[in-house]
Amino acid sequence: MSLEESLAKLREASAGKIPEEIRMKMGAATKAIKESGIMDGVIKVGDKLPSFNLPNSKGVMVSSDDLLAKGNLVVTIYRGHWWPYCNAELYALRDIVDGLNENNTTMVAISPQNQDKNDELVEKHTLNFDLLRDEGNGYCNELGIVMTVAQEIQDIYGGFGIDLPTSNGESSWTLPMPTRLVVSQDGIVRAADIDANHTTRPEPQKTLDDVKAL
């Protein structure tokens, strides 16, 4: 099953479980993000990737400079364990790791959620790539992809049992937009898939093809 097929099933299930009024509010919030101008400030193809030095799920610091010294880099942004679309993407990305390695490329995921949750997820999904913690979305802010969750959506999340302050270990109620970047060894972004719609993600194969095209 492709990632898009998995996401389509999640969207269908959501439509059957979530009241239309709430779905309309969430859709309006996504539209407002798109119309806010945030996309004008996101990292783009041709930009230099800001350096990062972030802890993985075991607390070991991982440096983008060290990774790029060895080859190309794929960076994917993971919002958190509470969002099924992110989990479907994380699960699907495992399938291209060998292909990326064969093309001299390392992949890392970056998430604002706390270290314990990252460790739990790495084990649960048997991840074959690092999941790094970006506390308070500090690094994602450098990428220009962070948005503040509107109060109305905070209330909806609360009804779903989603508690971002607990999950992330801080109270900002900010989230990164779904993002996947392909970066060549010189640190330049060569492909950037960024979308304010949190229910859509590019296929892993697209990312592998982007790497092969370097």
Side-chain angles (χ1 to χ4, degrees), residues 156-186:
I156 290 173
Y157 280 4
F160 294 157
I162 297 171
D163 182 356
L164 282 190
T166 297
S167 177
N168 294 351
E170 53 89 24
S171 59
S172 69
W173 275 97
T174 58
L175 282 175
M177 291 187 290
T179 298
R180 202 181 306 158
L181 306 173
V182 173
V183 185
S184 53
Q185 192 167 9
D186 58 3

Side-chain angles (χ1 to χ4, degrees), residues 30-173:
T30 298
K31 182 180 179 182
I33 293 168
K34 290 182 175 181
E35 294 176 349
S36 70
I38 189 173
M39 296 302 295
D40 295 336
V42 301
I43 191 165
K44 295 178 174 61
V45 171
D47 289 347
K48 184 84 170 179
L49 181 77
S51 297
F52 63 73
N53 190 36
L54 300 170
N56 67 11
S57 61
K58 300 300 183 183
V60 177
M61 300 304 291
V62 176
S63 162
S64 58
D65 291 341
D66 290 345
L67 296 177
L68 288 169
K70 298 186 294 184
N72 309 310
L73 178 61
V74 171
V75 176
T76 189
I77 303 301
Y78 175 77
R79 289 177 141 194
H81 68 282
W82 48 270
W83 196 239
Y85 299 94
C86 283
N87 290 328
E89 179 184 28
L90 206 67
Y91 189 85
L93 284 171
R94 301 178 311 168
D95 295 338
I96 64 168
V97 170
D98 288 344
L100 293 175
N101 291 342
E102 290 168 5
N103 286 271
N104 196 36
T105 302
T106 303
M107 178 164 63
V108 297
I110 294 176
S111 173
Q113 71 179 3
N114 66 51
Q115 203 106 343
D116 288 342
K117 282 297 181 184
N118 282 351
D119 192 19
E120 179 183 317
L121 272 161
V122 168
E123 294 184 10
K124 178 180 178 180
H125 292 285
T126 57
L127 293 188
N128 48 359
F129 53 91
D130 270 329
L131 178 56
L132 310 180
R133 188 190 184 201
D134 178 27
E135 184 174 359
N137 285 299
Y139 181 70
C140 284
N141 264 312
E142 294 186 51
L143 303 181
I145 61 172
V146 176
M147 36 78 70
T148 299
V149 180
Q151 183 61 57
E152 186 174 46
I153 304 303
Q154 291 183 34
D155 295 340
I156 290 173
Y157 280 4
F160 294 157
I162 297 171
D163 182 356
L164 282 190
T166 297
S167 177
N168 294 351
E170 53 89 24
S171 59
S172 69
W173 275 97

